[in-house]
Each structure stands twice: as structure tokens, then as C-alpha cells.
Amino acid sequence: MTRTQKTVFILVAIIAVILGLTVQRVLSMRSGSDPAALVDAGVIMLPQSRAVPALKMIDQGGEPVALDQLKDKWTLVFFGYTYCPDICPATLAQLRQIKASLSAAEAGRLRVVLVSVDPDRDTPQQLKQYLAYFDKDFVGLRGAVEDIQTLSKALSIPYIPADTRKPGYTVDHSGNLAIIGPDGRQHGFIRAPLNVQKLSARLPVLLTR
């Protein structure tokens, strides 16, 4: 092989690699699986998944739920409460919008869970009535304050327990969501405030993993 032929061969190989990477990049962006696009939508995936504490809470139907058994679907966990004046109703309304934008199959792979940070006032009946305003399939959970704190620390979504002696008290909490995978482990976060348009475009990719 002459020097000219070698040069041509090397150039062709380089061009093939560049074209391959370009095509892969375009296909990735079209499918929405580009990691940068997920970050742009507020989705942060952990480099390694985390175990969810083996806690038991009560859902809005009064039934016990083992948190480490939230499997078979992708679960978005939001810490909030029914007497919240702003963040909670806005977030739940946005989650309803996002879910409505999904196909029936995609929506069937998604679970939304509200963990109450106000168990004193958020009885199962109160949770059931409140969540019904947004989506009948949204799950509400309540438990002991100690368990709620354990869970929030494990998922890295902080809140500050309120002084329940004060009338009309409010609870300081994060608007971020934890992402639990079908394996029952935490895989990431969704940052607040939610971007409905971008999340509606990116979540289907996550739900097919």
C-alpha cells in the first residue's frame, strides 16, 4: 500500500467514525435519551442506585405499604401535605398534566406517590379526598414522623417537621421528586420547579428502561 493509499484509508476511517458518532448523536436526541436532554428537563440520574428503607406506611385506603416493595413501575415520590398552600397543589397538578400527556402504556408504567410530611392532619381519609382532585391513581402515604424523616434522608429530599402546637402551621419541604425504579431502588431525582413540557417529552424514554 502506497503512502497516498494509506493516507486515503486513514481519512476514510476517520470520516466513518465521525459520521457514526453524528448519526448516533442525532438518533439519541430524536429518541430523547440524550443525558444532557434529561438534565435539561430537570431529571438527574444517580451513577449508582440506592436502596429504599424497609419502612411500612399506611396508604389513603388504610392499607399498609412496604416502601421497599414499590416495584414493577417507575415511581415518582413527592414529600408534601394536603394543607400546603402552594407547592403541593401546583406540583400535583403538573404531575397530572405530565401523566395525561403519556400514552396509556406509558402511564401504566408510572406511579405517583405523595408522602405526607404532616401526618397529624393527613389522615387516610384526608389524603384520599385530596388526591382525588388530581388523579384517582395517585397514592398517598402517611407514617410516623421518625419514619418520614428516615425516608426523606435516605432519598436526599429534606423537610423540617413543623411545630404542630401552632394553629394553622405550615411545613417546610423540598419540591424535588425522588425517582424509584421498577427494581424498588432509587435511581435519581427530578428537580423543582417542574417543567411540564420538557418532562412530558423525556419521561417516556425513562419509562421504557
Side-chain angles (χ1 to χ4, degrees), residues 51-57 65-70 147 150-151 154 184:
V52 175
L55 300 171
K56 287 188 178 180
M57 293 188 175
V65 174
L67 296 185
D68 60 340
Q69 293 181 358
L70 289 177
D147 289 343
T150 297
L151 181 62

PDB file of all heavy atoms in Angstrom, residues 51-57 65-70 147 150-151 154 184:
ATOM      1  N   ALA A  51     -30.689   1.832  47.811  1.00  0.00           N
ATOM      2  CA  ALA A  51     -31.758   1.058  48.430  1.00  0.00           C
ATOM      3  C   ALA A  51     -32.746   1.997  49.121  1.00  0.00           C
ATOM      4  O   ALA A  51     -32.363   3.037  49.654  1.00  0.00           O
ATOM      5  CB  ALA A  51     -31.180   0.070  49.445  1.00  0.00           C
ATOM      6  N   VAL A  52     -34.016   1.628  49.109  1.00  0.00           N
ATOM      7  CA  VAL A  52     -35.058   2.368  49.811  1.00  0.00           C
ATOM      8  C   VAL A  52     -35.276   1.696  51.164  1.00  0.00           C
ATOM      9  O   VAL A  52     -35.346   0.469  51.239  1.00  0.00           O
ATOM     10  CB  VAL A  52     -36.366   2.372  48.993  1.00  0.00           C
ATOM     11  CG1 VAL A  52     -37.496   3.024  49.770  1.00  0.00           C
ATOM     12  CG2 VAL A  52     -36.144   3.092  47.667  1.00  0.00           C
ATOM     13  N   PRO A  53     -35.358   2.471  52.252  1.00  0.00           N
ATOM     14  CA  PRO A  53     -35.526   1.861  53.581  1.00  0.00           C
ATOM     15  C   PRO A  53     -36.751   0.947  53.646  1.00  0.00           C
ATOM     16  O   PRO A  53     -37.782   1.227  53.037  1.00  0.00           O
ATOM     17  CB  PRO A  53     -35.709   3.076  54.502  1.00  0.00           C
ATOM     18  CG  PRO A  53     -35.059   4.197  53.786  1.00  0.00           C
ATOM     19  CD  PRO A  53     -35.279   3.943  52.330  1.00  0.00           C
ATOM     20  N   ALA A  54     -36.617  -0.130  54.378  1.00  0.00           N
ATOM     21  CA  ALA A  54     -37.710  -1.103  54.525  1.00  0.00           C
ATOM     22  C   ALA A  54     -38.695  -0.616  55.578  1.00  0.00           C
ATOM     23  O   ALA A  54     -38.826  -1.204  56.654  1.00  0.00           O
ATOM     24  CB  ALA A  54     -37.145  -2.471  54.893  1.00  0.00           C
ATOM     25  N   LEU A  55     -39.378   0.476  55.260  1.00  0.00           N
ATOM     26  CA  LEU A  55     -40.357   1.056  56.177  1.00  0.00           C
ATOM     27  C   LEU A  55     -41.770   0.667  55.757  1.00  0.00           C
ATOM     28  O   LEU A  55     -42.018   0.393  54.579  1.00  0.00           O
ATOM     29  CB  LEU A  55     -40.241   2.580  56.169  1.00  0.00           C
ATOM     30  CG  LEU A  55     -38.887   3.165  56.577  1.00  0.00           C
ATOM     31  CD1 LEU A  55     -38.861   4.658  56.304  1.00  0.00           C
ATOM     32  CD2 LEU A  55     -38.609   2.895  58.048  1.00  0.00           C
ATOM     33  N   LYS A  56     -42.672   0.689  56.699  1.00  0.00           N
ATOM     34  CA  LYS A  56     -44.076   0.438  56.392  1.00  0.00           C
ATOM     35  C   LYS A  56     -44.894   1.675  56.717  1.00  0.00           C
ATOM     36  O   LYS A  56     -44.746   2.258  57.786  1.00  0.00           O
ATOM     37  CB  LYS A  56     -44.601  -0.769  57.180  1.00  0.00           C
ATOM     38  CG  LYS A  56     -44.091  -2.105  56.664  1.00  0.00           C
ATOM     39  CD  LYS A  56     -44.788  -3.269  57.335  1.00  0.00           C
ATOM     40  CE  LYS A  56     -44.302  -4.602  56.762  1.00  0.00           C
ATOM     41  NZ  LYS A  56     -44.974  -5.757  57.405  1.00  0.00           N
ATOM     42  N   MET A  57     -45.731   2.070  55.776  1.00  0.00           N
ATOM     43  CA  MET A  57     -46.617   3.208  55.970  1.00  0.00           C
ATOM     44  C   MET A  57     -48.043   2.791  55.624  1.00  0.00           C
ATOM     45  O   MET A  57     -48.285   1.656  55.208  1.00  0.00           O
ATOM     46  CB  MET A  57     -46.160   4.395  55.117  1.00  0.00           C
ATOM     47  CG  MET A  57     -44.819   4.975  55.558  1.00  0.00           C
ATOM     48  SD  MET A  57     -44.396   6.512  54.709  1.00  0.00           S
ATOM     49  CE  MET A  57     -42.893   6.948  55.593  1.00  0.00           C
ATOM     50  N   VAL A  65     -48.309  -0.355  53.432  1.00  0.00           N
ATOM     51  CA  VAL A  65     -47.484  -0.392  52.226  1.00  0.00           C
ATOM     52  C   VAL A  65     -46.028  -0.488  52.651  1.00  0.00           C
ATOM     53  O   VAL A  65     -45.545   0.331  53.439  1.00  0.00           O
ATOM     54  CB  VAL A  65     -47.687   0.870  51.362  1.00  0.00           C
ATOM     55  CG1 VAL A  65     -46.714   0.880  50.187  1.00  0.00           C
ATOM     56  CG2 VAL A  65     -49.121   0.953  50.851  1.00  0.00           C
ATOM     57  N   ALA A  66     -45.314  -1.490  52.144  1.00  0.00           N
ATOM     58  CA  ALA A  66     -43.881  -1.637  52.397  1.00  0.00           C
ATOM     59  C   ALA A  66     -43.124  -0.863  51.321  1.00  0.00           C
ATOM     60  O   ALA A  66     -43.231  -1.176  50.135  1.00  0.00           O
ATOM     61  CB  ALA A  66     -43.483  -3.113  52.378  1.00  0.00           C
ATOM     62  N   LEU A  67     -42.392   0.159  51.715  1.00  0.00           N
ATOM     63  CA  LEU A  67     -41.768   1.052  50.743  1.00  0.00           C
ATOM     64  C   LEU A  67     -40.715   0.363  49.891  1.00  0.00           C
ATOM     65  O   LEU A  67     -40.502   0.748  48.743  1.00  0.00           O
ATOM     66  CB  LEU A  67     -41.151   2.251  51.462  1.00  0.00           C
ATOM     67  CG  LEU A  67     -42.140   3.166  52.180  1.00  0.00           C
ATOM     68  CD1 LEU A  67     -41.422   4.378  52.742  1.00  0.00           C
ATOM     69  CD2 LEU A  67     -43.252   3.604  51.250  1.00  0.00           C
ATOM     70  N   ASP A  68     -40.049  -0.636  50.443  1.00  0.00           N
ATOM     71  CA  ASP A  68     -39.042  -1.325  49.647  1.00  0.00           C
ATOM     72  C   ASP A  68     -39.669  -2.304  48.661  1.00  0.00           C
ATOM     73  O   ASP A  68     -38.968  -3.033  47.963  1.00  0.00           O
ATOM     74  CB  ASP A  68     -38.027  -2.045  50.542  1.00  0.00           C
ATOM     75  CG  ASP A  68     -38.661  -3.090  51.442  1.00  0.00           C
ATOM     76  OD1 ASP A  68     -39.885  -3.020  51.662  1.00  0.00           O
ATOM     77  OD2 ASP A  68     -37.927  -3.971  51.927  1.00  0.00           O
ATOM     78  N   GLN A  69     -40.992  -2.313  48.595  1.00  0.00           N
ATOM     79  CA  GLN A  69     -41.688  -3.173  47.633  1.00  0.00           C
ATOM     80  C   GLN A  69     -42.440  -2.360  46.588  1.00  0.00           C
ATOM     81  O   GLN A  69     -43.347  -2.861  45.920  1.00  0.00           O
ATOM     82  CB  GLN A  69     -42.651  -4.106  48.371  1.00  0.00           C
ATOM     83  CG  GLN A  69     -41.929  -5.120  49.244  1.00  0.00           C
ATOM     84  CD  GLN A  69     -42.876  -6.072  49.962  1.00  0.00           C
ATOM     85  OE1 GLN A  69     -44.087  -5.969  49.849  1.00  0.00           O
ATOM     86  NE2 GLN A  69     -42.307  -7.005  50.714  1.00  0.00           N
ATOM     87  N   LEU A  70     -42.060  -1.092  46.431  1.00  0.00           N
ATOM     88  CA  LEU A  70     -42.616  -0.273  45.349  1.00  0.00           C
ATOM     89  C   LEU A  70     -41.892  -0.656  44.058  1.00  0.00           C
ATOM     90  O   LEU A  70     -40.934  -0.018  43.634  1.00  0.00           O
ATOM     91  CB  LEU A  70     -42.422   1.223  45.651  1.00  0.00           C
ATOM     92  CG  LEU A  70     -43.285   1.809  46.767  1.00  0.00           C
ATOM     93  CD1 LEU A  70     -42.915   3.270  46.999  1.00  0.00           C
ATOM     94  CD2 LEU A  70     -44.770   1.690  46.431  1.00  0.00           C
ATOM     95  N   ASP A 147     -40.258   7.806  60.841  1.00  0.00           N
ATOM     96  CA  ASP A 147     -40.127   7.062  59.586  1.00  0.00           C
ATOM     97  C   ASP A 147     -40.075   8.002  58.388  1.00  0.00           C
ATOM     98  O   ASP A 147     -39.331   7.760  57.424  1.00  0.00           O
ATOM     99  CB  ASP A 147     -41.291   6.078  59.427  1.00  0.00           C
ATOM    100  CG  ASP A 147     -41.207   4.903  60.383  1.00  0.00           C
ATOM    101  OD1 ASP A 147     -40.106   4.672  60.935  1.00  0.00           O
ATOM    102  OD2 ASP A 147     -42.217   4.216  60.583  1.00  0.00           O
ATOM    103  N   THR A 150     -36.625   9.384  58.280  1.00  0.00           N
ATOM    104  CA  THR A 150     -35.695   8.361  57.792  1.00  0.00           C
ATOM    105  C   THR A 150     -35.770   8.248  56.277  1.00  0.00           C
ATOM    106  O   THR A 150     -34.743   8.184  55.577  1.00  0.00           O
ATOM    107  CB  THR A 150     -36.013   6.994  58.431  1.00  0.00           C
ATOM    108  OG1 THR A 150     -35.821   7.075  59.840  1.00  0.00           O
ATOM    109  CG2 THR A 150     -35.118   5.898  57.863  1.00  0.00           C
ATOM    110  N   LEU A 151     -36.981   8.237  55.750  1.00  0.00           N
ATOM    111  CA  LEU A 151     -37.158   8.112  54.302  1.00  0.00           C
ATOM    112  C   LEU A 151     -36.645   9.346  53.571  1.00  0.00           C
ATOM    113  O   LEU A 151     -35.955   9.222  52.549  1.00  0.00           O
ATOM    114  CB  LEU A 151     -38.639   7.892  53.982  1.00  0.00           C
ATOM    115  CG  LEU A 151     -38.975   7.723  52.498  1.00  0.00           C
ATOM    116  CD1 LEU A 151     -38.290   6.498  51.926  1.00  0.00           C
ATOM    117  CD2 LEU A 151     -40.489   7.633  52.297  1.00  0.00           C
ATOM    118  N   ALA A 154     -32.911   9.268  53.454  1.00  0.00           N
ATOM    119  CA  ALA A 154     -32.409   8.219  52.566  1.00  0.00           C
ATOM    120  C   ALA A 154     -32.537   8.622  51.103  1.00  0.00           C
ATOM    121  O   ALA A 154     -31.682   8.292  50.277  1.00  0.00           O
ATOM    122  CB  ALA A 154     -33.169   6.920  52.815  1.00  0.00           C
ATOM    123  N   GLY A 184     -37.383  -1.235  42.723  1.00  0.00           N
ATOM    124  CA  GLY A 184     -37.605  -0.787  44.087  1.00  0.00           C
ATOM    125  C   GLY A 184     -36.470   0.030  44.672  1.00  0.00           C
ATOM    126  O   GLY A 184     -36.461   0.305  45.868  1.00  0.00           O
TER     127      GLY A 184
END
